Structures are given as structure tokens and as C-alpha cells.
Amino acid sequence: MKIGVLALQGAVAEHIRSIGLAGGQGVAVKRTEQLGELDGLVIPGGESTTIGKLMRQYGFIEAVRDFASQGKPLFGTCAGLIVLAERLESGEEPHLSLMNMTVARNAFGRQRESFETELDVKGIDSPLRAVFIRAPLIKEVGENVEVLSTYKGEIVAAKQDRLLVSSFHPELTDDFRLHGLFLEMARQAR
Amino acid sequence: METGTSRVKRGMAEMQKGGVIMDVMSAEQAKIAEAAGATAVMALERVPSDIRAAGGVARMADPTIVEEVMKVVSIPVMAKARIGHYVEAKVLESLGVDYIDESEVLTPADEVFHISKNEFTVPFVCGAKDLGEALRRVQEGASMLRTKGEPGTGNVVEAVRHLRLIMGQIRKVQNLSKDELYHEAKTLGVPYDLLLGVHETGRLPVVNFAAGGVATPADAALMMHLGADGVFVGSGIFKSENPEKFARAIVEATTHYEDYGLIARVSKNLGAPMKGIEISKLESSQRMQDRGI
């Protein structure tokens, strides 16, 4: 299973490592031409304004939307979740606008409010360590979206068909089970 | 639920990788930097080249500037405290800045001790010019490193020297035997455990950016080529003729540092970069990199 990690900015190497631990092959993606050879794509954590701007500049918005319309799965963590959302609470223009949800950026506050905790996630048998860094929250989801995890009543992981998102960073721990879940989605999409 | 853990603090720096962090002196400049694709801004009263020109004692910025910048951008805001100035750092933490740079650009407040950074919730970035300095700062609690370079000169040569030295020292440490590692830890003046980590992983325990003299898109790409995780640009942007264009070009060159055609394209008609200073013309008292070892 060959999984790309969008490498315009952000924590790319960490995702490639987690994909490897989960039994897939991770590759850094800098050009739209690379999408053709992939079974799935991760949009990593980073700064969503920077990633969104560079995606527009290099034609990734259209290319990734095409990729998704072919039934290929996408996994967005933190900034990647923001990039996938159809609606941003701030009223900012959405980026890929693929996932039926409204997202609030920096929803927990500034860096001093960043934290880690144990979290139950649907489809994963025991709690995983979740690292939240200036993290976004999913404020509202459409009917076609399945909520996978909540923290203090707020949605922090969700799935819509072949789109997977988390507001925390599974790539910053040695626990690769969420990446395993994504690889399974890629296997089924083949 | 735990805040301020080393994973949360170091992770924040991981999210900055491949990005450009820009010095700004006002809310208006911060907005320009954010629109150009900066991953964070450093809120300052004066950029390093102005600090050089002004002379005297350089201190933490007026909190008003920091707050104004925090109000107008959604990307992280960093601010500088003097080396060893615990209270300036606590003040910045209370303002809610996302990262503190314990920086040699400001006049050191302590000639011996750095801030004990482990006891803060806010993460710190520190400068280093060799592996010894780098690991000493990590031991004190730095969650991110950057080269010192020679700030405010627009001359990349010192940042290149520091990054090459650090990368070379890492390669050397990788090839040492266990008994040699004990001796090397003593020679470098660093804890054995941290050096063992470098030996085993072949990398620093935290993200390492380039800083101190980066002035052009090609400079930024050069630092990425040499192994930097990202770039700080201080005076280079808002001391250039066309800051907006310069900022965008440096962001693109950092992302695509191996695409030389692209770097050529974004370097066209940029206008004059900041005026540089030849390092050998600096008197030793003006060398910021020698502060805080």
C-alpha cells in the first residue's frame, strides 16, 4: 500500500514513519503528478493557512479533489482536518471542501493550552495517546459523517466514506493504530 | 490531561517544519507575513539589523506590540527574551505567546546561566553554533533549536558554518563506539544520555531551523539543502525593497528547495535585498553569536 504525505509544509517525516510502522509505504508528495501512483494521501499537521495557500499555488486543490473523486482515501490530521472541511467557523474560505463538517481553528486556545490525553476512538480496541497542539475542533457534522471520538463532548475524530480526520496528532506517538485504520480504508478502496 | 509536556512542546516545533518564521515589528507586517505563507511570526520592536545600528541594550519588546500581533494573525506568535532573563520569559508566557526565543540578538541578562526552560508551559527555541551548545540548550529545556548565524547582517555565511558544523558533528557521533561516546560527551560538555540519543538516531532530539543572515530565496533553499528543518528570516524581509514579494518568494523557495527552476522564477525582479555586512568587518563586541554558549 503506497500512501503519500503532502509535503508542502508540516510534520511529513513523522507520518511517513507511522505509515511504515503500520505496514505501508509512505512517500513525500511535492508535485501533483505523484498522486497517480498512490493508494491514499495524508494531509499532515502544520499551519493550515500555509498549506492551503501552497496547495492553491501548485494546483493541489483540483488535483486532490480529483484524487478523492476516484474513491482514493484521504487522512487529515490537525491542519489536514481544517484543509478537508467544507465549512470553517471563522468564515474563512474553505480549502478542499470535501468533508461535510464545520471546523473551528485553534479551538482550545494558544500553545500553552496544548495538551495530551488518553482517548477512546471507535474501531480501536483500547484508548490511544492523543496529542493536541493548537488543535481545531469539529463543531458540527452532516448526516453522512460518522463521529469516531469526542473529548469533553466535542468531536475530535470522524469519518465520511473514505475521508478520515483527527484534530490530534497520531503521528507524534509510537501508536500507529489510526494509521492502520487508514491503510485498511486504502486496501478496501483498491 | 497534561499541558506543557515535552511531546506537546517539541511537537509544536515539528508542525513548523518546512516553513518560514518571519520577524515582524507591527500588526500590519504580521498580516503581510501571514498572507505570504509564514508558519509563524516573531514579534519584535526592532529587527536585528536595526538593533545593530541602534547599539545600546536590546531588551524584550513592549508587550503592546506582542499583543497587537497576537490579535491580528491566527498563526503562532513567537517573541524574544534576553538570555538568562527568567522574568522577561515569564512575562511573555503570561501574555500567551506560543514560543519564546531565548535569543542572543538581545543583550544577555546573564553571562553564565540560561533560563531553566523545563519549568515553563510555553516552549522555547534557542540558538546554537555547534552540537555542544545545541544539546546543552535541549538539556535546559529548549524544544526547538536554530543556528545562531550572525543576525542582522544579511550574510548567510555564519549560518552555513554553524549548520555544517552541527551536521558534521552528528555524523561523527554516529560512528563513535560506546567508550568513545563517554569521552566525546565530556569534550562537548553535554549529558551522555543526549549524546547517546544522537548516536542512535543520527539526528538532534528536536527540530533545528536555520537563522541568522538568511536574506534571499536562494539563501533559504541553501539552508534547507544543508539539512535545516525550516528557516527564520529576520531583517531579510522587512528590510528589503519589496517585503511582500520577498516573503512569498522565500516561502516558495523553502518548500521547493530542490527545484532550481522555481527558485529562479521566484527570484526574478524582487528588487534589492537588505544591504549586507561583511562578517570580518564586525568588531568582536558586535558578534551576537558569541553570546550565551
Side-chain angles (χ1 to χ4, degrees):
Chain A
M1 214 57 44
K2 195 168 181 181
I3 306 293
V5 181
L6 188 66
L8 297 175
Q9 191 271 316
V12 176
E14 289 74 9
H15 270 294
I16 291 178
R17 176 177 159 272
S18 296
I19 291 163
L21 289 172
Q25 183 201 352
V27 291
V29 173
K30 288 209 171 204
R31 320 184 152 277
T32 53
E33 302 89 84
Q34 291 173 268
L35 292 173
E37 58 186 53
L38 302 176
D39 299 307
L41 180 70
V42 173
I43 303 175
E47 281 307 315
S48 64
T49 48
T50 307
I51 294 174
K53 180 188 138 58
L54 293 171
M55 283 181 81
R56 279 188 184 79
Q57 216 153 334
Y58 303 125
F60 269 105
I61 298 289
E62 275 315 299
V64 175
R65 288 178 60 88
D66 280 353
F67 183 79
S69 70
Q70 293 160 28
K72 300 276 184 72
L74 299 175
F75 181 14
T77 60
C78 195
L81 173 153
I82 297 167
V83 168
L84 278 166
E86 275 184 19
R87 298 172 295 281
L88 301 180
E89 200 185 48
S90 57
E92 288 162 279
E93 196 189 337
H95 305 285
L96 285 169
S97 196
L98 282 169
M99 195 152 163
N100 190 357
M101 58 182 180
T102 306
V103 169
R105 293 180 56 205
N106 300 333
F108 294 91
R110 306 197 71 92
Q111 171 61 19
R112 64 182 173 189
E113 277 85 42
S114 295
F115 64 99
E116 52 180 291
T117 189
E118 298 289 313
L119 204 63
D120 283 312
V121 178
K122 207 187 267 184
I124 291 176
D125 48 9
S126 60
L128 55 75
R129 194 80 193 156
V131 187
F132 291 82
I133 297 176
R134 290 171 45 91
L137 274 178
I138 304 171
K139 301 306 280 188
E140 164 270 335
V141 293
E143 269 178 19
N144 51 343
V145 176
E146 183 189 2
V147 173
L148 296 183
S149 184
T150 58
Y151 175 75
K152 293 189 174 167
E154 305 264 21
I155 307 169
V156 294
K159 186 173 177 266
Q160 171 189 319
D161 195 22
R162 283 175 181 149
L163 308 174
L164 178 67
V165 292
S166 69
S167 48
F168 53 90
H169 293 281
E171 77 281 12
L172 291 183
T173 69
D174 292 328
D175 189 335
F176 51 84
R177 288 178 294 171
L178 208 53
H179 287 84
L181 209 72
F182 183 62
L183 280 175
E184 190 48 44
M185 286 165 66
R187 222 167 271 130
Q188 283 167 12
R190 250 188 166 175
Chain B
M1 195 271 270
E2 299 135 59
T3 57
T5 62
S6 118
R7 189 144 56 187
V8 162
K9 294 199 276 193
R10 292 178 182 187
M12 156 75 197
E14 305 280 353
M15 297 310 138
Q16 293 284 313
K17 284 196 296 193
V20 182
I21 300 169
M22 302 182 191
D23 277 3
V24 299
M25 293 170 284
S26 65
E28 185 199 0
Q29 290 185 351
K31 280 195 269 187
I32 292 173
E34 183 177 47
T39 49
V41 289
M42 178 81 69
L44 295 167
E45 226 166 283
R46 286 174 294 180
V47 292
S49 64
D50 287 344
I51 289 174
R52 252 180 216 294
V57 175
R59 310 178 181 90
M60 170 186 83
D62 183 330
T64 319
I65 294 175
V66 179
E67 281 181 335
E68 276 172 14
V69 169
M70 282 168 44
K71 235 178 271 167
V72 299
V73 294
S74 65
I75 54 176
V77 176
M78 303 184 171
K80 287 185 196 293
R82 279 180 269 177
I83 289 174
H85 207 311
Y86 178 86
V87 171
E88 281 189 354
K90 278 291 174 192
V91 168
L92 292 173
E93 184 177 54
S94 80
L95 291 174
V97 302
D98 298 295
Y99 238 92
I100 295 174
D101 185 358
E102 187 183 17
S103 178
E104 68 282 3
V105 167
L106 306 181
T107 311
D110 194 314
E111 289 182 332
V112 179
F113 302 105
H114 279 72
I115 299 167
S116 173
K117 296 167 273 287
N118 283 312
E119 50 196 90
F120 284 72
T121 305
V122 66
F124 280 77
V125 54
C126 286
K129 54 185 192 301
D130 56 44
L131 187 59
E133 288 187 15
L135 294 181
R136 283 194 291 278
R137 299 296 86 78
V138 171
Q139 181 68 17
E140 294 155 5
S143 307
M144 179 182 191
L145 293 164
R146 53 172 177 73
T147 60
K148 284 179 167 173
E150 193 51 52
T153 60
N155 189 338
V156 80
V157 66
E158 295 300 304
V160 167
R161 186 200 313 280
H162 300 161
L163 190 57
R164 273 206 183 272
L165 179 56
I166 290 171
M167 301 308 269
Q169 286 176 309
I170 290 173
R171 283 189 291 273
K172 180 187 161 198
V173 165
Q174 270 185 286
N175 289 316
L176 295 179
S177 61
K178 280 275 162 68
D179 48 351
E180 289 170 330
L181 275 177
Y182 293 119
H183 180 76
E184 187 68 8
K186 188 177 67 183
T187 312
L188 290 174
V190 301
Y192 171 76
D193 290 348
L194 284 180
L195 198 66
L196 182 64
V198 172
H199 171 73
E200 285 169 350
T201 60
R203 49 165 307 208
L204 291 165
V206 301
V207 163
N208 186 26
F209 271 45
V214 176
T216 67
D219 284 353
L222 173 65
M223 298 315 295
M224 295 299 287
H225 165 77
L226 291 174
D229 290 314
V231 182
F232 281 90
V233 187
S235 323
I237 288 170
F238 290 100
K239 286 288 158 188
S240 73
E241 219 171 68
N242 190 339
E244 228 169 313
K245 223 171 150 185
F246 244 86
R248 280 200 308 266
I250 290 179
V251 168
E252 284 203 64
T254 304
T255 298
H256 289 292
Y257 65 94
E258 291 170 311
D259 186 340
Y260 310 114
L262 179 142
I263 298 169
R265 182 168 58 72
V266 301
S267 300
K268 281 180 190 165
N269 303 312
L270 276 182
M274 70 176 284
K275 192 174 177 314
I277 299 173
E278 164 56 37
I279 302 293
S280 61
K281 300 277 191 292
L282 286 179
E283 285 177 38
S284 64
S285 64
Q286 294 176 313
R287 284 165 60 89
M288 292 174 174
Q289 59 179 283
D290 298 332
R291 298 166 169 177
I293 55 171

